[in-house]
Amino acid sequence: MEGVDLMARDPNSLNDLVQVAFHDVLGEPDGTHSIDCVWTTAHTCFTCSKNCCYKFVSTLCGLCIAVAWGCEFALITFEAVWCFTPALKAYSIIMGINQRFFGILISCCLAPICETCGLCLSNISMKKM
């Protein structure tokens, strides 16, 4: 079992889309600036409220949701191991037998007819008048 890396919590960059900072959401154009203390306080309020709200909601719901997703992926794995993979293997075996059966049928019945038609039609020649 692998350990939990408390520093790199998204090593596969699954959630790059939701990496939102103050400057990704709010920006004042040149020539229109609020008072500096308002801008720095807004930055602090935005960052603190985003972090506190995330920590509160993840504390409140995170464990239950983690259990639900763990069960979901356990069921998917169970179905893949015990249902889908064996069914695909059985289907592959049956289709392989059908492929051989129809290949022999075509070789025995259809191939001679096609070969005969090809020989008959190969003697036709066209001349330009």
Side-chain angles (χ1 to χ4, degrees), residues 105-122:
L105 186 66
I106 288 171
S107 295
C108 291
C109 299
L110 194 56
I113 295 169
C114 291
E115 189 176 338
T116 303
C117 289
L119 288 172
C120 290
L121 296 174
S122 68

Side-chain angles (χ1 to χ4, degrees), residues 22-42:
F22 178 76
H23 297 292
D24 296 327
V25 178
L26 298 170
E28 293 182 323
D30 291 336
T32 308
H33 289 178
S34 60
I35 302 170
D36 289 348
C37 68
V38 170
W39 190 248
T40 55
T41 305

Side-chain angles (χ1 to χ4, degrees), residues 7 9 18 20 29 67 71 75 85 90 95 100 103 113 122 124:
M7 297 305 291
R9 294 189 183 191
V18 294
V20 179
V67 168
C71 290
L75 291 173
T85 301
M95 288 298 114
R100 289 182 62 200
I113 295 169
S122 68
I124 297 175

Side-chain angles (χ1 to χ4, degrees), residues 10-12 17 39 43 55 89 95 109 118-119:
D10 190 9
N12 297 329
L17 182 66
W39 190 248
H43 177 272
K55 287 176 183 175
K89 185 64 174 179
M95 288 298 114
C109 299
L119 288 172

